[in-house]
Amino acid sequence: MDRETVIVLDFGGQYNQLIARRVRECNVYCEIYSYRTSIEKIKEIHPKGIIFTGGPNSCYEADSPTYTKEIFQLGIPILGICYGSQLMMHLLGGTVETAPVREYGKIEVTVDTTSKLFQDVSEKTICWMSHNDYISKVAPGFRISAHTADCPAAAMEDTERNLYATQFHPEVLHTKEGKKMLSNFVYQVCGCSGDWKMDSFVEESIQAIRKKVGDGKVLCALSGGVDSSVAAVMLSKAVGNQLTCVFVDHGLLRKNEGDEVEAVFGPEGPYDLNFIRVNAQERFYSKLKGVEDPEKKRKIIGEEFIRVFEEEAKKIGQVDFLVQGTIYPDVVESGVGGESTVIKSHHNVGGLPDYVDFKEIIEPLRDLFKDEVRQAGLELGIPEYLVFRQPFPGPGLGIRIIGEVTAEKVQMVQDADAIWREEIAKAGWDKKVNQYFAALTNMRSVGVMGDERTYDYAIALRAVTTTDFMTAESAEIPWEIIGKVTSRIVNEVKHINRVMYDCTGKPPATIEFE
Ligand code: XMP
């Protein structure tokens, strides 16, 4: 597919993915590359524009991230943001030094609205600043196009060479008109036409998959989560009957989830997926018997999952292609893309290592951010309640039960979790929090029920708000809801005599409770 592309050259900025998402929101495809990417590679990509990210360093120091000056001679428009703007000035003969006044936060910026970058932007506009260094002298050929009270060169440009730079961060939502500025950059400066649209992406992907697969056989592990569901439906539209989807019920799903997934994707549902459900509950429980360590549980569940899947694959016979639900942030975070590599130890049931006898992997969502996967899902006609599901970890309830996992404990946590989710949704809080669930603590304590002494388990309720799932706040759920859920859980769920609410954020806790 030859689509117009803008690239983000990452100098270690924390907002690299945010920049790419904002550009894509303008209907322009955008990818992130490390500043270590060679200029030959960039020429090969032939981008319509390049954006230099921010970064934590000082560009005038010897080992700070930098780039060859040749990039400014390619005739490709470039926008430098924060560190990127300083680096551009530094490389082209301007001066960058420690600022007399450090700017941090929302700052009023006065812009020259005749600049292409600031077309239709208010003359005085609030922008997000975060910098210790500043540009004391712009490079030859540049003119200043915005300033603040403390920053004489808040934006600058050389319209001859199509080079633009902003000291502030247009990608951050605190920059009120940032999206307009980025849109101006990609449309007014780079001359993009805006061909990145989900309906055409879905259609093009289907065509490309069809061509690639020919009359081969395709296998997909379906978990019922957003990514694998979207991938499976896309594959089914592309190759119909040649696709087989295997859904492993490991007995660690939420209440009724196995049946719900089967109802949508199974033979009675609207899709033609050659759906195979494997009820492997007992296998998993027996492997998990006596195991208390959370990492060990994760490993066992992951390995057993692969074993079950492999057995099913063998029954199908020769498989040519295996589908994986990899999405763009996984690609960036695995270090292939940007600079800020995040170490991930998550076991994702949707993704499997190389073990089955197959020719190739198909990753139809590899280019998409999560919200784009959801849009693609809607385009494919997948029901909204599935497309907007909250995240659920691959190892499932196995990591929401502290200590040993048993069938009895799974049922306790399933029942309590179902009550919590039902009441949260009824009260409309499902739209206000990003993830919420119940976990079973391994703590038993004395209680009294009727006239009888009990010695039972405590359930922990968790609800968090987060934008990126890297950090999170415990949500302030009204006591009224917590009270109602507490009384329902202790009354309706056997062997639970206490309910606790987890008030901890991430850090220091994690979102999951394992
Ligand atoms: P933590 O607990 O690390 O979780 O704060 C962050 C987000 O990741 C989800 N999570 C997982 N997702 N496989 C997944 O697919 C996993 O093994 C896994 N572990 C955690 C978690 O639910 C939260 O949304």
Side-chain angles (χ1 to χ4, degrees):
M1 267 172 276
D2 201 16
R3 58 173 91 103
E4 54 183 23
T5 301
V6 165
I7 68 169
V8 168
L9 206 55
D10 185 6
F11 290 92
Q14 52 175 324
Y15 302 129
N16 61 1
Q17 293 199 21
L18 207 50
I19 301 172
R21 281 183 50 188
R22 293 280 172 269
V23 171
R24 289 188 188 195
E25 281 164 16
C26 301
N27 299 115
V28 173
Y29 183 65
C30 186
E31 283 187 329
I32 302 162
Y33 290 88
S34 160
Y35 73 92
R36 294 173 218 265
T37 308
S38 72
I39 190 139
E40 281 70 34
K41 170 82 184 165
I42 291 182
K43 284 184 201 162
E44 230 171 78
I45 301 166
H46 200 62
K48 296 284 282 184
I50 300 172
I51 301 178
F52 288 7
T53 71
N57 304 73
S58 283
C59 64
Y60 45 79
E61 273 163 14
D63 9 320
S64 293
T66 185
Y67 207 77
T68 167
K69 271 202 285 193
E70 212 191 308
I71 197 161
F72 301 113
Q73 288 147 21
L74 299 179
I76 301 171
I78 301 179
L79 170 65
I81 295 174
C82 197
Y83 181 84
S85 72
Q86 296 169 359
L87 184 67
M88 188 189 284
M89 290 306 108
H90 178 69
L91 291 172
L92 292 172
T95 309
V96 179
E97 54 192 317
T98 310
V101 181
R102 177 176 182 265
E103 283 182 311
Y104 182 85
K106 294 181 189 173
I107 309 274
E108 187 180 79
V109 176
T110 306
V111 305
D112 173 358
T113 54
T114 63
S115 161
K116 277 188 188 170
L117 198 64
F118 302 127
Q119 194 179 303
D120 295 329
V121 169
S122 326
E123 194 186 336
K124 298 218 181 280
T125 185
I126 297 295
C127 297
W128 182 255
M129 286 279 196
S130 170
H131 62 117
N132 294 321
D133 287 344
Y134 85 131
I135 295 153
S136 55
K137 191 167 124 270
V138 299
F142 280 80
R143 74 168 187 108
I144 291 174
S145 54
H147 66 273
T148 72
D150 293 309
C151 182
M156 58 236 86
E157 59 192 40
D158 176 344
T159 51
E160 290 279 304
R161 288 184 285 177
N162 269 331
L163 303 178
Y164 290 75
T166 63
Q167 180 57 71
F168 53 83
H169 290 270
E171 72 278 20
V172 174
L173 286 179
H174 298 309
T175 297
K176 246 176 103 187
E177 295 174 278
K179 196 166 166 202
K180 182 81 219 162
M181 298 170 195
L182 288 172
S183 162
N184 283 340
F185 178 66
V186 298
Y187 287 107
Q188 310 302 332
V189 179
C190 304
C192 292
S193 67
D195 64 1
W196 178 244
K197 301 214 174 86
M198 260 322 118
D199 52 350
S200 45
F201 170 81
V202 166
E203 202 36 55
E204 281 166 22
S205 302
I206 289 174
Q207 301 296 345
I209 292 167
R210 203 170 278 155
K211 201 162 149 215
K212 183 174 193 172
V213 170
D215 54 10
K217 273 192 172 179
V218 185
L219 183 63
C220 175
L222 182 64
S223 70
V226 182
D227 302 345
S228 68
S229 303
V230 172
V233 173
M234 190 182 275
L235 259 297
S236 150
K237 298 237 156 137
V239 301
N241 234 335
Q242 290 154 256
L243 170 73
T244 302
C245 288
V246 175
F247 167 58
V248 179
D249 185 341
H250 51 21
L252 304 165
L253 298 169
R254 285 163 289 194
K255 190 173 183 176
N256 300 330
E257 194 169 15
D259 294 343
E260 283 165 16
V261 171
E262 185 172 351
V264 178
F265 296 110
E268 310 294 324
Y271 307 105
D272 181 14
L273 302 178
N274 287 324
F275 179 88
I276 298 175
R277 174 174 177 173
V278 189
N279 288 316
Q281 293 89 332
E282 293 312 322
R283 268 179 85 152
F284 281 85
Y285 295 158
S286 84
K287 286 278 172 192
L288 288 167
K289 201 165 183 229
V291 183
E292 296 190 349
D293 178 70
E295 278 302 311
K296 276 199 191 129
K297 288 196 278 187
R298 277 177 177 273
K299 268 224 163 77
I300 290 170
I301 297 167
E303 275 172 24
E304 197 57 17
F305 183 87
I306 289 165
R307 214 118 300 143
V308 174
F309 191 75
E310 188 173 28
E311 288 171 19
E312 290 307 312
K314 282 203 181 114
K315 285 187 207 158
I316 298 163
Q318 171 67 35
V319 171
D320 303 290
F321 299 91
L322 187 70
V323 181
Q324 286 199 326
T326 319
I327 68 171
Y328 193 58
D330 301 333
V331 177
V332 176
E333 285 166 15
S334 69
V336 179
E339 193 44 35
S340 42
T341 303
V342 178
I343 314 286
K344 240 191 167 177
S345 72
H346 286 171
H347 157 67
N348 192 338
V349 160
L352 297 163
D354 326 349
Y355 67 92
V356 195
D357 191 14
F358 61 94
K359 269 201 290 208
E360 229 180 294
I361 291 182
I362 298 182
E363 296 176 312
L365 313 176
R366 198 185 157 79
D367 289 343
L368 305 187
F369 282 112
K370 192 79 177 186
D371 45 339
E372 293 172 322
V373 174
R374 294 203 160 104
Q375 276 175 43
L378 294 176
E379 281 299 326
L380 286 161
I382 302 174
E384 269 190 35
Y385 77 92
L386 281 179
V387 164
F388 291 101
R389 281 184 127 187
Q390 58 166 322
F392 185 64
L397 301 180
I399 58 162
R400 289 182 184 170
I401 292 170
I402 308 295
E404 187 189 15
V405 175
T406 64
E408 195 191 24
K409 285 186 185 169
V410 168
Q411 178 149 16
M412 283 185 234
V413 75
Q414 277 179 338
D415 289 344
D417 179 68
I419 293 169
W420 179 227
R421 286 190 293 130
E422 184 190 324
E423 294 297 337
I424 287 262
K426 244 198 238 163
W429 271 79
D430 54 336
K431 314 265 180 327
K432 299 184 208 166
V433 292
N434 304 98
Q435 200 168 350
Y436 52 103
F437 57 85
L440 186 67
T441 75
N442 205 17
M443 187 201 80
R444 291 169 79 193
S445 64
V446 174
V448 54
M449 279 281 243
D451 291 332
E452 292 206 23
R453 175 187 185 276
T454 58
Y455 185 58
D456 278 331
Y457 287 97
I459 270 282
L461 302 178
R462 186 115 177 94
V464 298
T465 53
T466 172
T467 46
D468 57 7
F469 295 88
M470 309 286 245
T471 60
E473 311 289 334
S474 174
E476 291 185 28
I477 305 287
W479 275 113
E480 201 187 325
I481 303 172
I482 294 181
K484 184 163 179 206
V485 170
T486 301
S487 86
R488 277 195 63 192
I489 290 177
V490 291
N491 282 313
E492 295 172 36
V493 186
K494 253 201 198 154
H495 302 302
I496 303 290
N497 66 356
R498 266 175 217 269
V499 176
M500 305 183 179
Y501 187 69
D502 185 348
C503 306
T504 333
K506 171 187 178 177
T510 59
I511 294 175
E512 290 298 337
F513 195 111
E514 63 184 303

